[in-house]
Amino acid sequence: MLQRRLLILGMLMLVGWNMGCSQPAGWFSRKAGPPFEPRPLPIETFHLFDIGVTDWNQDNVLDLFTANHSARQSFLLGDGRGGWKTWPLEASGLSQSPTFPGLEDSDHAPEFTSPGLYIFWHDSRLILHSHQLTSNPVQGQLIFFTPLTLESRGDFGTWATRPTGAGAAGTQVRFQARGEGQLILTPQPYPRVGSPVRLELADAAMTRRTFIGQKRISPPEPRVLLDLKDRHGLVWLSGGEGNTRLFITGGGNLGLTDVLPPDRRAYEYFQMDGSEFRRLDGAQWGLDKGACAARQASFRDVNGDGLGDFYVVCVRQTPNQLFLGSQDGRFTEAAADLGLAMPDAGTFAWLDVDDDHRPDLIWAGEDGIWLYRNQRDGFRGEKLDVPKVWAQHIALADFDRDGDGDAFIASKDANVLLVNEDGSLRYHDPVALGLPAASLTAQWVDVDNDGRIDLHAVPNGVFLQTNEGDFQLAELASWPPAPSLAQLRSARAVWFDADNDGYREVVIATQTLDKQWRVTYLKRRAGANHWLEVILQDPRAHTSAIGARVIVQTPAGQQMSRVGWHENSHYGQGHERVYFGLGDQTTITRLTVLWPDGVSQTLTHLPADQILELAHPTP
């Protein structure tokens, strides 16, 4: 079936798309390669977990963000020319610790300026550094909720440990810091930065000689809680001018939710206020974490009520969560009621498989790959007949240009290609089409804007789609060599138009077996092929354009994509731009937008080579 469809597709491309020319303008040789150029990227790679794209300040220039567990994250503002400006977490209100901005785990120590006790995380160990404490020692205790190992260096002072109580796994460390030295505290099993720590100083006067984190902030009172969020997934919501919101998932704090106040047992939820983000009380908005060691998250109108909903993967045999939105902005958890409370670890993607205007869920978990069909009042699971693999990432696109969405699932075990055939997902061996057998991540992307969707896989490379509908590995000059699959633990890659010239740049991050991350940013010089980018905006604060269908018609044929399909982040969401390569076509005959609420919008005779902004035609 697939071979027949691809043959027809190839014939249509030959007589239609390339009408009047043997190759689209700007087509590049597989030996010469496109003009990619490595550029510097000021990104934090220590404990890197995820990379994503968004436009947080709504200036139509795309920005970058990372999630780094409990280490320092990167928020990089695009300058519109393909360069970057570091966006400070502390000034924006997005530090993981509201009380002690700069407490995040780091690979370097703070600067020791004044005599005192410095407390900071370094390589997943809590360091107590006594600096020039000759006459006035600092004393108190630390309470860990996990076992510890201790090591001292130099002349730190004195200390003693004991269990926190009968049957408890925690450790109490009493200390008197003086002189010049360090006490190194390593929560077990290493690394355990996500565990909260209580600090209790002997008296209030000692707070003035105690400095916490990279910013060396003195505690406001003798007894404080040192906790980090162990961030995993960041979901950016652009609900109109000045209404950007941010939802962040985090780890389970080792299940020690009873030691945290209620507002810190909820998901992090922020509202943009000017150039800063104001932290909201997630518990009051109904976003309770419970025991969820949350990973991937998304925002989507799941039940068709016009309101956005959050879906969260929990892992560790804890059921996934679905928070349904309401008119007053609050959320109610309903995953079990709607049939989406899967307890196994996995990854997911929303895809309207049968084109009934209801998003279905592709779930790649420990029990195989499932399609959960949206029945409006709940979801019905169908286990797909595919090889059992551990999935790393699901990429969506209409790669065969038949008007519906297909999925490529990247796995180190074996990649899976799911082709949408008449509202059902059918497995096809990707190798039969020239695609890689196994990968750590993959993204559909029209690399050369010729109108045919290509595939980039790590560490395999770029696979260009031919006129016949199969794929060939490109030999791209200036493309950096990658380690072999056997040498890597993990990988990330994001494609996006950093300088608004219509051609997409790429950031590739790979983690070797020694857990070290390497990040490469490749700037793309514009080519001769034409293009269109679409940005959809919904001024109503409680909805999102995620899932909107965009159809582009030119004399060469028709293409379809959806808002959210170009999201390359593994665990978050924020890249809402839609991209089309047009080859040698300079005019869009017709552009149709089908908004998530069913409203249809059509424009005709549009010039190519533009970023088209469209607002929801609200009555």
Side-chain angles (χ1 to χ4, degrees), residues 112-414:
F112 307 126
T113 53
S114 304
L117 174 64
Y118 292 78
I119 303 176
F120 57 95
W121 285 101
H122 178 271
D123 193 19
S124 304
R125 298 169 172 88
L126 190 66
I127 309 297
L128 275 62
H129 183 100
S130 57
H131 177 62
Q132 298 180 356
L133 281 173
T134 55
S135 56
N136 294 313
V138 175
Q139 61 185 17
Q141 67 178 7
L142 289 165
I143 300 175
F144 285 76
F145 299 91
T146 62
L148 283 178
T149 61
L150 288 84
E151 175 189 356
S152 65
R153 295 176 183 174
D155 179 23
F156 172 78
T158 60
W159 69 92
T161 66
R162 68 177 184 181
T164 53
T171 307
Q172 181 186 67
V173 182
R174 292 183 177 272
F175 63 85
Q176 184 180 73
R178 56 173 174 76
E180 188 79 37
Q182 290 186 346
L183 185 62
I184 303 171
L185 311 172
T186 306
Q188 296 297 318
Y190 172 86
R192 278 291 177 98
V193 182
S195 172
V197 180
R198 290 193 185 278
L199 170 64
E200 299 178 356
L201 297 173
D203 59 60
M206 293 181 182
T207 61
R208 296 190 294 271
R209 286 177 283 125
T210 302
F211 309 100
I212 297 177
Q214 296 292 324
K215 298 299 179 179
R216 308 183 300 274
I217 297 175
S218 294
E221 54 188 7
R223 297 187 176 188
V224 292
L225 185 69
L226 309 180
D227 72 304
L228 295 170
K229 304 300 183 183
D230 190 15
R231 288 174 173 169
H232 296 146
L234 281 72
V235 178
W236 302 78
L237 309 174
S238 54
E241 184 177 353
N243 196 39
T244 298
R245 288 170 291 158
L246 176 59
F247 172 85
I248 306 180
T249 68
N253 291 107
L254 313 181
L256 302 171
T257 55
D258 57 324
V259 306
L260 297 173
D263 64 320
R264 298 196 188 186
R265 295 199 297 266
Y267 289 107
E268 293 185 273
Y269 198 36
F270 296 86
Q271 171 75 51
M272 190 174 179
D273 186 3
S275 61
E276 298 181 12
F277 279 85
R278 177 169 50 90
R279 189 181 298 260
L280 305 176
D281 187 342
Q284 291 188 4
W285 291 88
L287 298 172
D288 292 295
K289 280 172 67 7
C292 181
R295 297 298 193 269
Q296 185 183 4
S298 75
F299 185 74
R300 188 73 183 265
D301 181 6
V302 171
N303 56 358
D305 63 356
L307 305 172
D309 314 306
F310 288 111
Y311 188 62
V312 181
V313 176
C314 288
V315 308
R316 298 178 185 172
Q317 294 303 305
T318 302
N320 293 347
Q321 297 174 330
L322 174 61
F323 295 94
L324 299 179
S326 62
Q327 288 288 348
D328 62 3
R330 288 174 168 77
F331 296 87
T332 301
E333 206 285 310
D337 295 339
L338 295 184
L340 292 180
M342 294 80 81
D344 53 328
T347 185
F348 70 90
W350 294 104
L351 177 65
D352 185 0
V353 175
D354 48 11
D355 198 24
D356 63 355
H357 308 294
R358 296 193 296 266
D360 308 304
L361 187 79
I362 300 175
W363 171 252
E366 300 174 50
D367 188 34
I369 299 175
W370 292 68
L371 173 64
Y372 284 85
R373 291 190 182 272
N374 192 336
Q375 307 295 309
R376 197 174 293 280
D377 59 347
F379 288 78
R380 176 173 54 85
E382 302 172 5
K383 190 171 185 179
L384 302 182
D385 185 14
V386 302
K388 187 175 181 179
V389 301
W390 177 250
Q392 270 82 31
H393 185 62
I394 304 175
L396 304 176
D398 179 16
F399 86 96
D400 53 6
R401 291 180 58 193
D402 64 351
D404 53 32
D406 314 295
F408 186 92
I409 302 178
S411 170
K412 197 171 185 177
D413 302 323

Side-chain angles (χ1 to χ4, degrees), residues 18 36 44 70 104 106 117 149 170 244 259 266 308 310 322 325 338 368 402 409 428 471 481 524 552 574:
N18 293 325
F36 286 99
E44 298 280 353
S70 292
E104 289 90 346
S106 177
L117 174 64
T149 61
T244 298
V259 306
F310 288 111
L322 174 61
L338 295 184
D402 64 351
I409 302 178
H428 292 274
F471 295 82
R524 173 69 155 93
V552 168

